[in-house]
Amino acid sequence: MAKISESGYLCPLDPATRGREFELLLTCCRPVAGPEDFAKQAALADKGIDSDVLLSLAQRHKASSLLYCNLRRHPAETFDTYLLDELKKRHQFNTAKALRAFQVIQEVAQAKPGFSVFVLKGLDVGLRAYKDLVIRDVGDIDLLVPPDKVSEAYRILESKGWHAHIKNYQIFFTSAILRNSHHEMRLLRKGFSILELHWRPTYNPQELPLEYLQKSPVSMQANTGLPGFSNENLLIYLCIHGSKHGWGRLKWLFDLPNVVEQLEIDWSFVWQKSGELGVSFAVQQGLMLAARYCNLQLTNEMTAGFRHRISDAQWRSIEAFQSGPELWMEYPPLHLAIHIWLNRIATASRPRVILWYCLSMLNPSINDYELISLPRRLEPLYFVLRPFTWALRRLRIAQARSDAH
């Protein structure tokens, strides 16, 4: 691995090998491109851009609004009219989604003032780091409540028209097995994005413990009406989230330069806490990718915590995952699913974090409960049936992939 300084390392991936459309998308990672990126956008347009390929990439990586807000600043003849028209439609649709998501946050904030609820990612990142509610493509609406408040939070949301995406959702409130093996439940409401109600911020409860967050300062900078992470915890969380998903979407990577450049970050705190939590690998990996893909300028403070060697195989797997179809986000090929799991192990430096990931393979999931319905007294049998239910779901995943082709 080639060093760029005594304290940092260079990500070996070369975005230029991924095509002009991919390069163009990377230049649009910020709401307003700097002079260098703006010039590069025009140069790439002169060489020729396949509008359909670019639109597909923007959709795959959830960056259509960022792309539109960048390209529309060029003279009218620079980019294809068809491309700009399609991006404008997507941006208008995203604007409507963002406003509805903000409406949900306001409803929750006003339903029970003082109720312990936290806003994760999404609108909080958009408003604080992008300085715009609608420029970051809206995905799920993520809310975090303490485990003992999940039932109460659900009743509040249910009164606003939300319902769980599974029929037997009540088992989340009664089954310790499911509360341990899951960190969220999905809620649906007509005309709105999916709402994910979390009772811990990450899949692995050992990575970013709720107790740690409850003792940490919060931020109201976004003015969503609900508290969010402090700047440092936000950066740590975004890196954990992106790493655990193999950095499969550029949207997650694009958040990093915007957070780092727009928010005041205490880097000594970041490296101290990420080290204590055992997630410094994930933070380093995210910053190295952002430097390579988004021209994030790494200072000595930012690279002071770089301690880990990242294998070429891990970098290649990230590149392959980013290049795959949308279906891979839900049903990755087996070799990439193994990569994602191994990356989760690699990014964990504390034994109990690694142990939880290993044991989690044996934990039943809500999918097992839906596949086979057992009486409550026989619930422990889901552990015994785990190999069978896992194999059956793999067959269904293979069938879904086959049907998609």
Side-chain angles (χ1 to χ4, degrees), residues 288-357:
M288 290 173 69
L289 280 166
R292 191 71 172 115
Y293 280 34
C294 308
N295 292 322
L296 175 65
Q297 299 302 307
L298 299 180
T299 65
N300 290 334
E301 278 188 316
M302 294 162 65
T303 60
F306 283 16
R307 296 287 184 273
H308 306 277
R309 293 290 178 174
I310 302 175
S311 71
D312 288 339
Q314 285 173 299
W315 290 123
R316 288 196 300 270
S317 294
I318 289 172
E319 185 177 52
F321 197 30
Q322 291 172 345
S323 302
E326 175 67 24
L327 181 68
W328 284 11
M329 297 306 301
E330 191 71 25
Y331 305 119
L334 183 59
H335 71 285
L336 285 180
I338 292 173
H339 149 69
I340 293 171
W341 187 81
L342 289 176
N343 200 50
R344 289 173 177 171
I345 299 298
T347 56
S349 61
R350 290 190 303 165
R352 60 182 179 181
V353 176
I354 298 173
L355 179 62
W356 194 93
Y357 271 124

Side-chain angles (χ1 to χ4, degrees), residues 3 29-30 58 66 93 113 120 137 185 206 237 311 318 338 400:
K3 283 195 175 185
C29 60
R30 295 168 177 83
L66 269 173
F93 180 67
L120 299 177
D137 275 29
M185 65 183 296
Q206 303 297 329
Y237 175 67
S311 71
I318 289 172
I338 292 173

Side-chain angles (χ1 to χ4, degrees), residues 88-107:
K88 182 177 181 179
K89 292 176 185 176
R90 294 184 185 183
H91 181 60
Q92 290 172 337
F93 180 67
N94 188 64
T95 298
K97 287 177 65 178
L99 293 175
R100 288 189 174 183
F102 190 75
Q103 173 189 335
V104 173
I105 300 298
Q106 294 297 298
E107 287 177 350

Side-chain angles (χ1 to χ4, degrees), residues 120-122 136 140 142 183-184 186 196 198 201-203 207-208 229 233-249 251-253 255-256 279 282-283 285-286 321 329 340 343-344 347 357:
L120 299 177
K121 297 192 283 80
R136 181 184 186 270
D140 299 332
D142 297 280
H183 67 298
E184 65 185 20
R186 292 188 167 192
E196 293 185 347
H198 297 246
T202 58
Y203 172 62
E207 279 178 326
L208 199 59
F229 288 137
N233 286 338
L234 177 62
L235 178 66
I236 292 172
Y237 175 67
L238 292 174
C239 289
I240 293 174
H241 179 266
S243 179
K244 299 319 170 192
H245 289 286
W247 298 105
R249 289 202 199 283
K251 171 186 175 180
W252 302 327
L253 181 59
D255 287 341
L256 302 188
V279 296
V283 177
Q285 188 180 63
F321 197 30
M329 297 306 301
I340 293 171
N343 200 50
R344 289 173 177 171
T347 56
Y357 271 124

